[in-house]
Amino acid sequence: MEPKSFMSSKKDIPSWLPAATLKQGEGAAVDFVAILRNAQAVLPCGAVLRAAGATLLAAGSIWAGLVFIKANPFVFLILAGVACLLASLATERDGLLSYLPEGAQQFLMREGTIFDFFHDDTAVHNVVRKWGRVQLLALQDGQSEGTVQKIVDSMEPELLDLVLRRPFISFLPPVVLR
């Protein structure tokens, strides 16, 4: 017994549904894009679908937000706190730059443009040069003392003291050390 097709004859197909949208045989399928485009030619369904989609998306987003706030009421307090902090920063007479370190203020106010920031990379080179040696030192297996000595000799004394001689506790602020 042969399975019945989706539509048995061409006279069963509506006028707005093209015959090419139906694929006969194994894995029969309907070309929904062709159906929607042909329906759009007869009825303005595109605008209706856009409006329905936007409405459903907005309703779902609002619902999700309300459920999230209801399940996590502390988020509202956090957002209110952030809003208050931003408002307090906006009222600062000296401007927000006054809270930055002096070096950052000079860089932002006097150093130049965004191009200068990306083009003049001497600071990056200095960091890589200094800390790259520390990384080389850390990767040594301890078998060749000559290589370790060369790396240590090439390091600046301040960096050598910072990395190899200062204990962790010395990095804490004085208030904590009391």
Side-chain angles (χ1 to χ4, degrees):
M1 181 173 187
E2 253 181 67
K4 289 190 175 184
S5 65
F6 182 65
M7 294 196 169
S8 58
S9 68
K10 289 203 178 232
K11 65 181 177 180
D12 293 337
I13 299 173
S15 62
W16 55 272
L17 183 62
T21 60
L22 297 176
K23 297 175 183 172
Q24 300 294 326
E26 282 187 46
V30 178
D31 187 2
F32 286 108
V33 174
I35 292 171
L36 289 173
R37 287 185 180 159
N38 287 323
Q40 176 67 23
V42 176
L43 301 168
C45 63
V48 173
L49 290 172
R50 275 191 294 278
T55 303
L56 291 171
L57 180 67
S61 298
I62 290 170
W63 187 6
L66 291 173
V67 168
F68 182 77
I69 294 294
K70 187 176 181 181
N72 304 301
F74 58 88
V75 172
F76 180 72
L77 295 175
I78 292 171
L79 293 176
V82 168
C84 288
L85 287 174
L86 290 176
S88 74
L89 289 175
T91 62
E92 184 63 38
R93 284 185 176 206
D94 296 334
L96 298 179
L97 287 178
S98 64
Y99 289 108
L100 293 176
E102 187 65 33
Q105 288 179 19
Q106 288 178 359
F107 175 77
L108 290 173
M109 298 298 286
R110 299 182 195 105
E111 290 297 320
T113 64
I114 293 174
F115 175 78
D116 294 335
F117 174 72
F118 287 113
H119 185 263
D120 183 22
D121 55 355
T122 55
V124 174
H125 282 292
N126 285 335
V127 168
V128 170
R129 182 179 50 80
K130 289 178 181 179
W131 290 98
R133 290 185 180 133
V134 173
Q135 183 65 32
L136 282 173
L137 194 60
L139 292 175
Q140 294 299 316
D141 57 4
Q143 305 250 339
S144 101
E145 290 182 25
T147 306
V148 171
Q149 190 60 45
K150 285 181 188 175
I151 295 172
V152 170
D153 288 342
S154 69
M155 292 173 71
E156 295 175 1
E158 298 85 21
L159 183 66
L160 196 61
D161 288 339
L162 177 77
V163 174
L164 298 177
R165 295 189 180 114
R166 280 182 65 184
F168 280 119
I169 199 159
S170 68
F171 292 102
L172 295 174
V175 174
V176 177
L177 295 176
R178 285 192 237 171

